[in-house]
Amino acid sequence: MTHGFDKDYWESHWKQAPGAGHEPAPHPYLARETHDLVPGTALDAGCGEGAEAVWLAAAGWRVTAADISSEALARARARAAGHPAGDAITWVEADLGAWQPEQRFDLVTTHYAHPAIPQLRFYGRLAGWVAPGGTLLVVGHLRGHGHGPGDEHPPEEATADAAGITALLDPSAWEVVTASEHERPVVRGDRTTVLHDVVVRARRRTRLDPG
Ligand SMILES: C[S@@+](CC[C@H](N)C(=O)[O-])C[C@H]1O[C@@H](n2cnc3c(N)ncnc32)[C@H](O)[C@@H]1O
């Protein structure tokens, strides 16, 4: 690994990313894993340019979208400004390795965020922010497919697998709904890249759940 995933890294990542006219679609797991949930409050952790936050807002969620990069948030705000549901999003610039939310959320989701703290510790923090009865949805880079620096091939420490993520979730407190590992081709310009993804969705039990 030639760099850490700190704020400077992410600011420079977003400053170099394609600009106007580049509006990637939300990742496919979001609709697949949330279509049967009743919208409430949601946190998108490491929201980047805001595609998932805008999608959630359009689906009726009241979204807090947080990112460490002011550049990413500026792009996300611009994207949301043109959208009818944009007002349902609160943008927060924060290091989620240290931030403490003032509320718990009905949905906490993250897509491909890899911070400076260890990946599983990050997911553990997110799990702690889910309200009783709420859902944790983690989409990440799959362990075993990191090949060094670069966006398509993250270093091993920025990856995880379904077993590692579900092991964070005490079965007496969580029901794991989805724990899966996928390959999916994505087209970027004139190139097709295969992404290796891990997806974990879990519901935090309430005291009223049948024991
Ligand atoms: C690979 S990008 C993914 C962005 C977006 N979720 C997506 O899937 O397109 C990872 C994002 O996580 C953010 N990030 C990394 N470390 C963070 C941290 N400690 N706190 C908050 N956001 C962080 C980065 O700025 C970046 O926007």
Side-chain angles (χ1 to χ4, degrees):
M1 175 172 168
T2 56
H3 60 76
F5 290 108
D6 59 5
K7 180 173 171 63
D8 287 350
Y9 169 83
W10 286 110
E11 290 296 7
S12 115
H13 167 89
W14 285 116
K15 284 189 174 125
Q16 290 165 26
H22 159 82
E23 285 220 344
H27 302 302
Y29 309 109
L30 185 62
R32 198 179 303 168
E33 297 294 342
T34 63
H35 75 277
D36 56 348
L37 302 179
V38 177
T41 57
L43 172 69
D44 184 11
C47 63
E49 296 174 284
E52 288 70 36
V54 168
W55 186 92
L56 284 166
W61 295 85
R62 296 185 306 285
V63 183
T64 300
D67 203 284
I68 200 168
S69 162
S70 57
E71 176 70 22
L73 288 169
R75 289 166 175 242
R77 278 196 182 92
R79 179 185 192 127
H83 199 284
D87 286 350
I89 307 172
T90 303
W91 304 100
V92 176
E93 184 179 332
D95 176 356
L96 298 176
W99 184 67
Q100 292 293 350
E102 289 170 1
Q103 64 176 108
R104 297 290 176 261
F105 299 90
D106 300 314
L107 172 66
V108 175
T109 189
T110 187
H111 290 75
Y112 306 109
H114 35 98
I117 66 170
Q119 198 64 37
L120 289 180
R121 194 190 306 165
F122 176 60
Y123 293 150
R125 286 178 64 75
L126 300 188
W129 302 341
V130 176
T135 291
L136 174 70
L137 174 60
V138 169
V139 176
H141 297 296
L142 179 60
R143 175 136 294 195
H145 298 276
H147 303 291
D151 282 346
E152 276 95 3
H153 301 294
E156 243 358 58
E157 61 268 32
T159 67
D161 58 21
I165 299 169
T166 55
L168 297 168
L169 305 172
D170 174 355
S172 69
W174 292 91
E175 174 197 359
V176 175
V177 180
T178 301
S180 58
E181 298 174 350
H182 300 267
E183 277 185 10
R184 78 181 164 105
V186 289
V187 178
R188 289 183 179 147
D190 54 4
R191 279 187 318 137
T192 299
T193 305
V194 175
L195 296 185
H196 299 269
D197 298 332
V198 56
V199 179
V200 171
R201 170 185 168 189
R203 177 181 171 275
R204 185 189 280 281
R205 300 182 196 279
T206 72
R207 273 182 296 167
L208 300 176
D209 284 354

